[in-house]
Amino acid sequence: TATATATAATVTAGTTPGTVRRAGSLPFLLGNPEVEEFQGSLMLLAPVSGLVPDSAGGLPAELSRIRHVCMTDVPKTVSAGDLIRFLAPARGEIVSVRLLADKNARATTYMALLLFKSSKAATQFLLSFEGRQFNLMEPEQCRLQAVAKVVEPTQGRTKASGEQCTICLDPVECGGGDVISLLCMHPFHAECLAKCLEISCPVCRYSQITEEPNQCQLCDAQQGLWMCLTCGFIGCSRQQWQGSGETVRSNEHALKHFKETGHQFSQNLQSQRVWDYARDRYSHRLTQSTEGRKIVEVLPPGCPGTESGTAAGPEQLTREDTAEALQLELTFLLTRQLEDQRVGFADKMKSFEARCQQKLDQAEERLVRARKRHAAARERCETVQRERAAAAKEAQGITKQADGIAAKLQEETELVEALRLNRGLWDEQIEAVKKEAEHKLNLKSQVLTLLQQRLDEKLQLLDA
């Protein structure tokens, strides 16, 4: 709405980090406009997109005290049941939902005031549902604003305490369960209302969805409209009546629709008469007049009041003479139109089923491809795990071998060191052995020399 848009603009540059600037007041209306209405207002904070984080990057501290959240600009095409289903993921944290009429845009949208069990749940809802589409078929998105204060109307019923849900007849407590109050202020259990197929209030029959006036689907004309009985197309007639009684040539969209599609029967939305474009006349000869509900005859083409003619009064017939003919003609007409409608809707259903089947086949193909990719990835993962286990086992063996080699190396190192230490002792012992051997050799040489001398002396004595 204009107010909600204007309030969003109040969050400007220069806002101190960690604070929330109030976005102003938004008036709302409660009650059935045909009976009584009460006005209140909401003190709104900045929209979620305009919140300024604190110095640590988190949400403003002021949101820690917020339990009310307002859904603004909810299209009136979204019924209460649709809204309950939309809020289903967060219903466990919602205490109550109140539908409010937006005073500035009440013809097209409404608001929903949500009360949460805790400020944490309200903050999580603000972050999760902001910008989410109400459904996949329409572009409207959920717009949220935190509510600092709710100014209730000075008169009227604002709470549901002590009342009963007219669907299940159990007591409704505003603070003790999941409760929704409609625009007419009648409260219900959300679960009960979600199962209700009606879009109007089960108590007062007030509906938030207002019917739009019929108009030509191509030129937006609202007078002289004809609806195709085969496909439901609404188009303008060949002439448009003016206040002075004159006729003006129109866009002839109903006739063009017949030429394009071949759907020959159309019904005048004002007189409820059925026109046959193939024969260029009304499909039934007799009908009931709007005054007195008398049986009258429908005039042929060129006479006043027809789709191709310009106007005059019908000739009245007696009920006794024409009742049987009227019944036969109407029965034949309805049978033919129902058959044409059945064929048309059957063709539409076949086309729709073909599109759905095509989408289903595409989805199945994507699912098969995804399963194949999943199987291949799983197989690769298993292969990698087996290779990893083998590598770990091989690494464990190599580690054991390395430990053995390191132990042998340490042992040999200690042996070499011990041999190095004992080498000096062995060298000394060798030197001692060498000296002893040389000494003994010298003694042996001296003994031999002495013996040789004695031998020589003995020989000389023998010679003498």
Side-chain angles (χ1 to χ4, degrees), residues 46-95:
V48 176
S49 57
L51 294 178
V52 180
D54 55 16
S55 58
L59 290 174
E62 189 170 355
L63 287 181
S64 61
R65 299 185 297 272
I66 297 301
R67 291 181 58 197
H68 284 90
V69 175
C70 179
M71 297 177 61
T72 60
D73 301 328
V74 181
K76 284 197 172 181
T77 54
V78 179
S79 64
D82 297 334
L83 184 63
I84 293 172
R85 287 183 285 273
F86 175 73
L87 298 174
R91 277 183 54 190
E93 299 295 334
I94 298 177
V95 176

Side-chain angles (χ1 to χ4, degrees), residues 374-392:
H374 176 70
R378 185 173 182 178
E379 185 178 356
R380 288 196 300 270
C381 181
E382 292 177 354
T383 303
V384 170
Q385 289 180 352
R386 289 194 297 268
E387 292 178 354
R388 179 183 177 184

Side-chain angles (χ1 to χ4, degrees), residues 321-392:
D321 296 335
T322 58
E324 185 176 358
L326 175 62
Q327 182 179 2
L328 292 176
E329 289 191 26
L330 288 180
T331 302
F332 173 76
L333 172 64
L334 291 176
T335 303
R336 185 173 179 180
Q337 293 306 309
L338 288 174
E339 180 63 21
D340 292 342
Q341 264 192 333
R342 186 191 66 79
V343 173
F345 284 116
D347 294 339
K348 287 186 177 181
M349 286 299 298
K350 289 180 180 179
S351 177
F352 179 73
E353 289 177 357
R355 292 196 301 269
C356 291
Q357 186 63 36
Q358 183 180 2
K359 292 182 179 179
L360 181 60
D361 294 340
Q362 294 176 357
E364 289 180 353
E365 291 179 359
R366 291 195 298 269
L367 179 61
V368 170
R369 291 196 297 269
R371 286 179 176 175
K372 289 182 179 179
R373 290 195 299 268
H374 176 70
R378 185 173 182 178
E379 185 178 356
R380 288 196 300 270
C381 181
E382 292 177 354
T383 303
V384 170
Q385 289 180 352
R386 289 194 297 268
E387 292 178 354
R388 179 183 177 184

